Amino acid sequence: LVGLPSPPATLGRHRPPLVMLVLPLVAHAFATPGRSPVLRLPSAASVSGRLDGAQSAATLAEENELLRARVAELEERAESTEGLCELLDDGGGWTSSLRTRASWLLGLLVCQSASSLVLAENESLLLEHPTVIFFMTMLVGAGGNAGNQAAVRIIRGLATGEVDPRPTQRTRSIVSDELLRAAVLAFILVVAGFVRVVAFDATLADAAAISASLFLIVSTSVVLGTLLPLLLQAAKIDAAHASTTIQVVMDVLGVLITCSVAPLVFGALAT
């Protein structure tokens, strides 16, 4: 071969590797005329860049698949909840939501009248223990506040998609956590309520009766406030109505629970 170096004299005694014989031939075949044959191999940076590009392409493909799955999930949720939430501006002006809101509030007003019927049936209890009626607003107010707080959390979760109205594992976990919070919040408010009743110079019997009623009211309110938005959503009713409904429900239930629990406590302490 012309232009190739002659093999060493010791080739017969020490046979070189085959690659040492092939590389000069390849270099000579690809050599530019007038220049010495040089075999150019890809650099380490070039190989690394190609590998990084392949990894980036794989990462982008994976992210695209995740985005497609998320979009499909949101579209499915939008179809399942279509019409359940009232639009703030549907083009009908300030009267667009007036009929819906007025009818709902009128219905709640009628239901709230039931608390006066419960008070009338327990007039003797209130005359014998007037302290109970003094703290009745505290009892029903605490129940309404606790229930409204729980309802707003669930309504916000429904709006953001964090809470699924269907009985999924995530929804069951949220409801279970709210049951634990109901007991803890009720205990905290009972301690504060007991101190407040005693500071009002009431008897320990009155404080015990009011505290027992407060525990049941608050715990029941948190549970109902958690479930009510989910029930309304399942009934194809705007879950936002749960925040006002829980107030009225706890007004009636608060009076009913107090008038039912207080006589039991008074009777137990009297014996």
Side-chain angles (χ1 to χ4, degrees):
L1 297 175
V2 181
L4 296 180
S6 59
T10 59
L11 180 61
R13 290 178 297 174
H14 302 284
R15 183 172 298 174
L18 180 62
V19 69
M20 297 298 296
L21 298 175
V22 174
L23 285 178
L25 297 175
V26 175
H28 182 76
F30 289 94
T32 303
R35 296 184 181 180
S36 58
V38 178
L39 180 63
R40 300 185 180 276
L41 299 176
S43 63
S46 175
V47 175
S48 176
R50 294 176 183 176
L51 291 177
D52 291 342
Q55 293 176 355
S56 299
T59 303
L60 289 176
E62 183 178 355
E63 291 179 354
N64 288 336
E65 290 297 327
L66 293 176
L67 288 175
R68 291 191 187 96
R70 181 57 176 168
V71 169
E73 179 183 353
L74 292 176
E75 289 178 348
E76 179 183 359
R77 183 166 297 164
E79 292 177 358
S80 62
T81 59
E82 184 178 0
L84 297 183
C85 295
E86 180 182 354
L87 297 176
L88 295 181
D89 185 8
D90 58 359
W94 66 272
T95 61
S96 59
S97 63
L98 188 61
R99 184 181 64 178
T100 303
R101 295 169 63 180
S103 60
W104 195 269
L105 291 175
L106 288 174
L108 294 177
L109 181 63
V110 173
C111 295
Q112 197 169 22
S113 302
S115 60
S116 61
L117 300 177
V118 177
L119 291 175
E121 290 292 330
N122 296 271
E123 185 177 359
S124 59
L125 169 67
L126 303 177
L127 292 176
E128 186 177 354
H129 299 278
T131 305
V132 175
I133 196 64
F134 294 154
F135 287 95
M136 187 65 71
T137 55
M138 181 193 76
L139 293 172
V140 298
N145 292 336
N148 191 31
Q149 188 182 67
V152 168
R153 286 171 55 86
I154 299 300
I155 294 171
R156 182 175 56 191
L158 290 172
T160 59
E162 184 180 0
V163 178
D164 195 329
R166 296 170 296 182
T168 60
Q169 181 64 32
R170 172 65 175 167
T171 302
R172 289 194 293 267
S173 176
I174 292 174
V175 173
S176 300
D177 291 342
E178 285 298 325
L179 294 179
L180 295 177
R181 293 189 185 100
V184 175
L185 290 173
F187 178 78
I188 294 173
L189 292 182
V190 162
V191 173
F194 184 86
V195 172
R196 180 180 176 183
V197 175
V198 172
F200 191 73
D201 293 334
T203 63
L204 291 179
D206 291 337
I210 293 173
S211 298
S213 301
L214 182 61
F215 182 87
L216 291 178
I217 290 172
V218 173
S219 58
T220 303
S221 179
V222 174
V223 174
L224 292 179
T226 302
L227 297 178
L228 190 56
L230 299 175
L231 295 176
L232 292 179
Q233 191 86 332
K236 304 298 183 180
I237 301 175
D238 191 356
H241 291 304
S243 60
T244 55
T245 304
I246 191 62
Q247 296 277 357
V248 175
V249 170
M250 290 317 302
D251 282 349
V252 178
L253 279 182
V255 174
L256 183 61
I257 290 174
T258 302
C259 294
S260 301
V261 172
L264 298 177
V265 175
F266 291 139
L269 293 178
T271 58

